[in-house]
């Protein structure tokens, strides 16, 4: 029995060591990439894009289901963006609250007759509305079919060659689209999708759909999510994007070439529709030998509302893990398959062995450490595991906070950085074990064939 326990301990230690080395490599890549990008002047590279002749027109899709509290500020924020030619299409996906009524009243919507080519199958569209005061604002009223169905309906109605999906509770910075579209414009079609950063709006002061003052929530759960988002976007996605290995473009803020998305069949009806679409695009590109890229741009920022209660955060993380597993399973033939190049040999193995299996191994590690206090395991192994978990769960998060301060500097007060730095030190000891448990429950729920998003409570980002 002792030999078995010792073997398990060494396996977990070896696994965590490999994960830490991989993350360290991504961190170094991200540091060099961010340094390269932000040595440029902050405004000059984007001035030309304000002229229509240099830019590409964009359709902004906003799926909304029971978003009464946040939908008006979100649309207002989109109306104030700096971009030469765009349209906004809000898709009311059968909301049971007064989302549709608020949109009609606020923007003076009138029902119109619009010829729509049904390129993607969707639930029945009950009506298409256009604002009488903002002629490039449209609202689709349709039967409930889920976020994927709503986005597919928006793609059908959209007029322009690129579209951006934005969550109905999100606020975008004014120059976000100039920055997220720049790689697409500069590449002359070689880049077919881009994703921007998503940040937590809780605690910030918002007026008329614009961030007036960036703040930090007093809720420890929200603060930890701020750190988690910094780590995921600044370290994880910058590192993967550098070599076209990105498999996730956030559903809260991502731009896609409509031609390629329609070619692969649009969004699928999965829990993790955003990741599944990106994996399917990569698969399609490799099978067609098309030399296209999907990239992440760190600077354009979308602010969104984070769950403030543990029950809703648990549901969110559970859903994310189910979406991850569902996407990986649907495209399992790509994994370790040289036919799909670096996506098959690096990206898919990374998401399987680290993102999917990571919570299982971490949970085993926490249980192993706990068993030390009741006897039966080696003290040296337990202490080594604690050290590795602190490096993986806290040190990398601290470095992500420092990268934020060094590069983007979205949090203006030194106190904010100090709070983030302090909380990142505590991550290993309370927050990370919670998310590990919730993600493992998500794996179990997939095996139980549980589906659906689960209810989420919204306060509204305008609060």
């Amino acid at each position: 029995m002792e030999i078995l326990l010792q073997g398990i301990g060494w396996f977990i230690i070896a696994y965590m060591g490999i994960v830490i080395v991989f993350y360290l490599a991504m961190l170094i890549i991200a540091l060099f990439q961010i340094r390269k990008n932000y040595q440029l002047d902050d405004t000059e590279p984007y001035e030309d894009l304000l002229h229509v002749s240099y830019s590409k027109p964009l359709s902004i899709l906003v799926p909304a289901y029971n978003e009464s509290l946040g939908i008006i500020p979100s649309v207002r924020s989109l109306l104030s963006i700096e971009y030469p030619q765009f349209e906004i299409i809000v898709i009311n996906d059968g909301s049971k609250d007064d989302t549709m009524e608020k949109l009609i009243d606020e923007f003076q919507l009138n029902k119109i007759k619009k010829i729509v080519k049904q390129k993607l199958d969707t639930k029945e569209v009950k009506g298409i509305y256009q604002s009488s005061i903002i002629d490039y604002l449209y609202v689709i009223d349709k039967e409930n079919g889920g976020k994927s169905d709503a986005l597919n309906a928006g793609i059908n109605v959209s007029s322009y060659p690129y579209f951006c999906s934005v969550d109905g509770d999100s606020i975008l910075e004014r120059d976000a689209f100039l920055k997220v579209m720049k790689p697409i414009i500069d590449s002359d079609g070689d880049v077919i999708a881009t994703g921007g950063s998503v940040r937590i709006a809780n605690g910030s002061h918002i007026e008329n759909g614009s961030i007036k003052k960036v703040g930090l929530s007093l809720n420890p759960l929200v603060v930890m999510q701020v750190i988690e988002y910094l780590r995921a976007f600044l370290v994880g996605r910058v590192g993967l994007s550098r070599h076209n290995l990105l498999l996730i473009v956030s559903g809260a803020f991502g731009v896609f070439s409509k031609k390629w998305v329609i070619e692969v069949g649009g969004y699928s009806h999965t829990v993790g529709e955003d990741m599944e679409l990106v994996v399917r695009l990569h698969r399609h590109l490799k099978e067609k030998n098309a030399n296209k890229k999907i990239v992440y741009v760190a600077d354009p920022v979308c602010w969104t509302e984070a769950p403030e209660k543990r029950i809703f955060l648990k549901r969110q993380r559970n859903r994310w893990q189910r979406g991850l597993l569902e996407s990986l399973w649907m495209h399992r033939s790509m994994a370790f398959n040289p036919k799909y190049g670096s996506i098959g040999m690096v990206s898919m193995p990374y998401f399987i062995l680290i993102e999917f299996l990571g919570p299982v191994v971490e949970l085993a590690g926490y249980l192993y450490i706990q068993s030390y206090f009741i006897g039966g395991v080696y003290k040296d192994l337990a202490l080594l595991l604690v050290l590795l978990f602190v490096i993986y769960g806290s040190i990398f998060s601290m470095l992500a906070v420092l990268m934020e301060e060094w590069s983007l500097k979205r949090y203006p007060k030194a106190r904010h950085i100090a709070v983030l730095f302090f909380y990142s030190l505590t991550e290993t000891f309370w927050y990370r074990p919670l998310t590990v448990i919730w993600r493992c429950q998500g794996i179990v729920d997939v095996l139980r064939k549980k589906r659906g998003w689960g209810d989420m409570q919204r306060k509204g980002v305008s609060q």
Side-chain angles (χ1 to χ4, degrees):
M1 187 64 180
E2 286 189 11
I3 295 175
L4 177 62
L5 288 173
Q6 189 177 15
I8 292 172
W10 280 115
F11 170 78
I12 298 170
I13 288 168
Y15 175 89
M16 293 305 302
I18 292 170
V19 170
I20 287 170
V21 169
F22 190 89
Y23 262 90
L24 183 61
M26 287 206 297
L27 176 67
I28 293 170
I29 292 170
L31 281 169
F32 279 104
Q33 188 67 19
I34 289 175
R35 183 176 179 81
K36 176 183 174 183
N37 289 347
Y38 298 106
Q39 283 177 332
L40 298 172
D41 180 83
D42 193 38
T43 56
E44 186 178 353
Y46 306 103
E47 288 179 353
D48 287 346
L49 301 185
L50 286 170
H51 302 287
V52 175
S53 59
Y54 286 94
S55 63
K56 296 183 184 293
L58 180 69
S59 300
I60 303 171
L61 310 183
V62 188
Y65 176 72
N66 293 347
E67 295 287 357
S68 173
L69 288 171
I71 192 63
I72 301 303
S74 292
V75 174
R76 282 181 186 153
S77 79
L78 294 173
L79 292 171
S80 66
I81 65 168
E82 294 179 350
Y83 199 76
Q85 189 175 3
F86 64 96
E87 63 180 358
I88 300 170
I89 303 173
V90 181
I91 308 101
N92 178 47
D93 190 43
S95 296
K96 296 176 182 176
D97 62 6
D98 61 346
T99 297
M100 190 66 196
E101 289 74 15
K102 280 191 173 181
L103 287 167
I104 290 172
D105 293 341
E106 182 71 21
F107 300 110
Q108 299 179 30
L109 301 178
N110 297 313
K111 198 169 186 178
I112 62 170
K113 291 184 178 179
K114 185 177 174 69
I115 298 173
V116 177
K117 293 181 179 179
Q118 196 77 8
K119 297 173 183 176
L120 302 170
D121 291 333
T122 69
K123 294 282 188 179
E124 181 184 351
V125 172
K126 295 187 285 186
I128 299 174
Y129 297 76
Q130 184 177 19
S131 170
S132 59
I133 53 176
I134 304 156
D135 61 2
Y136 53 90
L137 172 61
Y138 299 89
V139 175
I140 302 170
D141 188 27
K142 62 179 287 294
E143 291 183 358
N144 180 257
K147 185 178 179 181
S148 302
D149 197 76
L151 287 169
N152 286 340
I155 292 170
N156 285 338
V157 173
S158 65
S159 305
Y160 296 142
Y162 291 88
F163 72 88
C164 175
S165 61
V166 178
D167 281 352
D169 62 345
S170 298
I171 301 290
L172 275 84
E173 296 184 354
R174 291 189 65 186
D175 59 357
F177 283 106
L178 290 174
K179 292 176 178 179
V180 82
M181 285 295 292
K182 191 174 189 299
I184 291 174
I185 296 167
D186 289 349
S187 73
D188 195 27
D190 285 344
V191 174
I192 65 164
T194 59
S197 292
V198 179
R199 300 294 176 85
I200 304 298
N202 308 49
S204 296
H205 178 61
I206 299 170
E207 286 183 8
N208 297 319
S210 297
I211 298 280
K212 298 298 182 183
K213 185 178 180 182
V214 174
L216 197 61
S217 173
L218 299 176
N219 185 326
L221 277 179
V222 175
V223 175
M224 291 309 307
Q225 289 174 80
V226 171
I227 295 167
E228 198 175 22
Y229 275 50
L230 289 176
R231 174 172 168 158
F233 284 93
L234 286 183
V235 179
R237 298 195 187 181
V238 170
L240 290 171
S241 175
R242 176 67 179 82
H243 298 287
N244 197 27
L245 298 172
L246 197 64
L247 291 191
I248 298 178
V249 170
S250 175
F253 185 31
V255 173
F256 295 88
S257 164
K258 186 166 74 172
K259 167 188 174 293
W260 286 98
V261 171
I262 290 174
E263 199 168 301
V264 299
Y267 286 89
S268 62
H269 296 280
T270 58
V271 177
E273 76 292 323
D274 45 1
M275 178 180 180
E276 196 281 323
L277 174 63
V278 175
V279 178
R280 190 156 24 99
L281 282 169
H282 273 300
R283 181 175 197 148
H284 186 66
L285 293 172
K286 292 294 183 183
E287 290 174 351
K288 288 193 68 172
N289 292 318
N291 187 26
K292 306 292 182 181
K293 296 179 180 178
I294 297 172
V295 304
Y296 165 71
V297 190
D299 198 8
V301 171
C302 168
W303 297 84
T304 191
E305 181 182 0
E308 295 191 345
K309 293 183 179 180
R310 195 163 74 168
I311 181 65
F312 299 114
L313 180 59
K314 174 184 175 181
R315 289 175 185 173
Q316 183 191 65
R317 298 314 156 93
N318 178 295
R319 184 178 73 246
W320 286 1
Q321 193 69 15
R322 286 187 285 132
L324 171 65
L325 179 53
E326 201 168 7
S327 298
L328 293 174
W329 180 253
M330 288 175 68
H331 300 281
R332 59 192 180 278
S333 62
M334 293 175 65
F336 305 99
N337 189 340
K339 173 184 175 181
Y340 297 99
S342 57
I343 295 296
M345 300 303 291
V346 179
S347 287
M348 290 294 285
Y350 162 75
F351 277 92
I352 292 170
L353 299 176
I354 296 179
E355 294 296 332
F356 167 57
L357 289 178
V360 178
V361 179
E362 280 188 71
L363 182 59
Y366 283 117
L367 294 174
Y368 194 88
I369 293 168
Q370 248 188 350
S371 67
Y372 164 71
F373 296 99
I374 58 175
V377 301
Y378 289 88
K379 178 181 178 181
D380 292 345
L381 292 183
L383 291 175
L384 183 55
L385 268 178
V386 171
L387 176 63
L388 291 174
F389 280 148
V390 168
I391 294 172
Y392 181 56
S394 293
I395 302 300
F396 279 125
S397 293
M398 290 165 57
L399 291 172
V401 172
L402 291 176
M403 283 178 66
E404 155 65 27
E405 173 60 16
W406 174 60
S407 59
L408 302 180
K409 298 183 179 180
R410 284 298 191 278
Y411 294 93
K413 294 184 178 179
R415 179 178 61 84
H416 293 157
I417 299 300
V419 170
L420 291 170
F421 203 78
F422 168 76
Y423 271 97
S424 65
L425 284 171
T426 71
E427 180 177 349
T428 301
F429 304 101
W430 70 282
Y431 183 75
R432 192 159 188 90
L434 281 177
T435 59
V436 163
I437 291 169
W438 295 335
R439 290 169 69 188
C440 287
Q441 288 174 340
I443 296 172
V444 173
D445 286 342
V446 169
L447 299 176
R448 293 171 52 219
K449 298 184 178 180
K450 179 179 177 180
R451 302 187 65 83
W453 275 56
D455 294 331
M456 296 294 289
Q457 186 186 61
R458 301 287 191 195
K459 288 176 59 181
V461 288
S462 60
Q463 298 288 316

